[in-house]
Amino acid sequence: MLPEGYSIREVKASDHLPYLESLKVLTTVGEISKSQFEELVEYWKKNEVYHPHVVANEKDEVVATGMLLIERKAIHECGLVGHIEDISVAGHQQGKKLGYNMICTLAEKAKQAGCYKVILDCSPHNVEFYEKCGFKNDGTEMVKRF
Amino acid sequence: MLPEGYSIREVKASDHLPYLESLKVLTTVGEISKSQFEELVEYWKKNEVYHPHVVANEKDEVVATGMLLIERKAIHECGLVGHIEDISVAGHQQGKKLGYNMICTLAEKAKQAGCYKVILDCSPHNVEFYEKCGFKNDGTEMVKRF
């Protein structure tokens, strides 16, 4: 359950600064202008792969983020796979289970969309948290950075 | 280096049966008709996230597959991340470094497209292979199946 007045909704172009502020707990965000953000949100909304969500507080301000990508594959009879990306909870909003609620909501959306599975990559120290969300260890993430 | 006469190219709607045959080394593919496959390839080509590739032999027949997804994020100044998916090599074509060549090609395409990293998920027993391709262990893949 989310705290009273909080809700999970799709991101809006007007979420600019609080959206980026929440993401800063994850990694470098850098300078992204209002118009750049609006263009990005517009792009996400036009492309059916992207399902960007936020937790909004009682003032409808973004306090957490979560992206669901829905990929169309050939395997599993043209199956769909959900990918969860960029789960962040603003620093002053920790401890309210916002991340847990976001994960459960995105996993449920993947299921409703017809995905046969939903996957995500995490640090080893977050495995226990995702197990509480009903996920299981399924492999190793490999990276090549440029 | 690919064997003489072999090349890496984008998938074509006419690759139907050999494309699916190659994927069968990975997992269940199921029944996918010619028209379903054509629709899927058309969908991939229209959506700029998808960059589906194949290795074709000297007769231009598919003998290996590899998908590159390019994701637009907000983090890292609206950065791009490449995701490598569904690398398969037809059973009778193993031992020719086709998988290795596909991985290197897709990673290079991700770099050329401006991605700051390219990632993939694999089984622990394939970690050593991907290390030879220049990848490093970066985390844990978690899954929820429906």
Side-chain angles (χ1 to χ4, degrees):
Chain A
M1 284 270 291
L2 288 169
E4 203 179 330
Y6 283 49
S7 61
I8 293 183
R9 59 164 172 80
E10 288 196 13
V11 71
K12 298 188 288 197
S14 57
D15 290 329
H16 180 219
L17 292 179
Y19 188 89
L20 300 181
E21 194 58 35
S22 181
L23 282 177
K24 283 180 189 167
V25 304
L26 288 183
T27 186
T28 309
V29 176
E31 292 300 313
I32 300 173
S33 70
K34 190 164 180 296
S35 65
Q36 282 175 306
F37 184 74
E38 287 168 355
E39 191 277 324
L40 179 62
V41 171
E42 186 67 21
Y43 175 82
W44 284 341
K45 295 205 183 246
K46 273 194 309 200
N47 188 313
E48 64 185 44
V49 171
Y50 298 91
H51 302 268
H53 284 75
V54 300
V55 179
N57 66 13
E58 66 280 9
K59 295 173 187 166
D60 199 37
E61 294 161 345
V62 173
V63 292
T65 73
M67 172 66 87
L68 173 66
L69 305 176
I70 296 183
E71 175 201 2
R72 279 188 71 182
K73 286 184 180 285
I75 57 173
H76 293 281
E77 300 194 59
C78 298
L80 302 176
V81 169
H83 299 252
I84 291 177
E85 298 279 339
D86 302 333
I87 298 292
S88 72
V89 177
H92 59 290
Q93 296 280 333
Q94 308 275 342
K96 297 179 180 174
K97 297 204 169 186
L98 304 188
Y100 176 84
N101 274 280
M102 177 61 85
I103 297 290
C104 293
T105 299
L106 295 182
E108 184 59 26
K109 283 180 185 287
K111 185 181 176 185
Q112 294 300 324
C115 294
Y116 66 90
K117 68 177 181 181
V118 60
I119 60 176
L120 57 86
D121 292 321
C122 68
S123 304
H125 71 267
N126 283 328
V127 166
E128 206 175 323
F129 165 71
Y130 285 109
E131 284 173 347
K132 286 181 191 157
C133 300
F135 285 73
K136 287 178 182 166
N137 186 324
D138 199 46
T140 304
E141 181 197 4
M142 304 295 289
V143 68
K144 190 172 199 171
R145 294 181 193 280
F146 304 119
Chain B
M1 284 271 291
L2 288 169
E4 203 179 329
Y6 283 48
S7 61
I8 293 184
R9 61 164 171 80
E10 290 195 13
V11 70
K12 298 187 288 198
S14 57
D15 290 328
H16 180 219
L17 291 179
Y19 189 89
L20 301 181
E21 194 59 33
S22 182
L23 283 176
K24 283 180 189 166
V25 303
L26 289 183
T27 186
T28 308
V29 175
E31 292 300 313
I32 300 172
S33 70
K34 191 166 181 295
S35 64
Q36 282 175 306
F37 184 74
E38 286 168 356
E39 191 276 324
L40 179 63
V41 171
E42 187 67 22
Y43 175 84
W44 285 341
K45 293 201 183 249
K46 273 194 309 201
N47 189 312
E48 64 184 46
V49 171
Y50 298 91
H51 302 268
H53 285 76
V54 300
V55 179
N57 66 13
E58 66 280 7
K59 295 174 189 166
D60 199 37
E61 294 161 345
V62 173
V63 291
T65 73
M67 172 66 87
L68 173 67
L69 305 176
I70 296 182
E71 176 201 1
R72 279 189 71 182
K73 286 185 180 283
I75 57 173
H76 293 281
E77 301 193 59
C78 297
L80 302 176
V81 170
H83 299 251
I84 291 177
E85 299 279 340
D86 302 333
I87 299 291
S88 72
V89 176
H92 59 290
Q93 296 280 335
Q94 307 276 343
K96 297 179 181 174
K97 298 206 168 184
L98 305 187
Y100 176 84
N101 274 281
M102 176 61 86
I103 296 290
C104 293
T105 299
L106 295 183
E108 185 59 27
K109 283 181 184 287
K111 186 181 175 184
Q112 294 300 324
C115 294
Y116 66 90
K117 68 176 181 180
V118 59
I119 60 176
L120 58 86
D121 293 321
C122 69
S123 304
H125 73 265
N126 283 328
V127 166
E128 206 175 323
F129 166 70
Y130 286 109
E131 283 172 347
K132 286 180 192 158
C133 301
F135 284 74
K136 288 179 182 167
N137 186 326
D138 198 47
T140 304
E141 181 197 3
M142 304 293 291
V143 68
K144 191 173 198 170
R145 293 180 194 280
F146 304 120

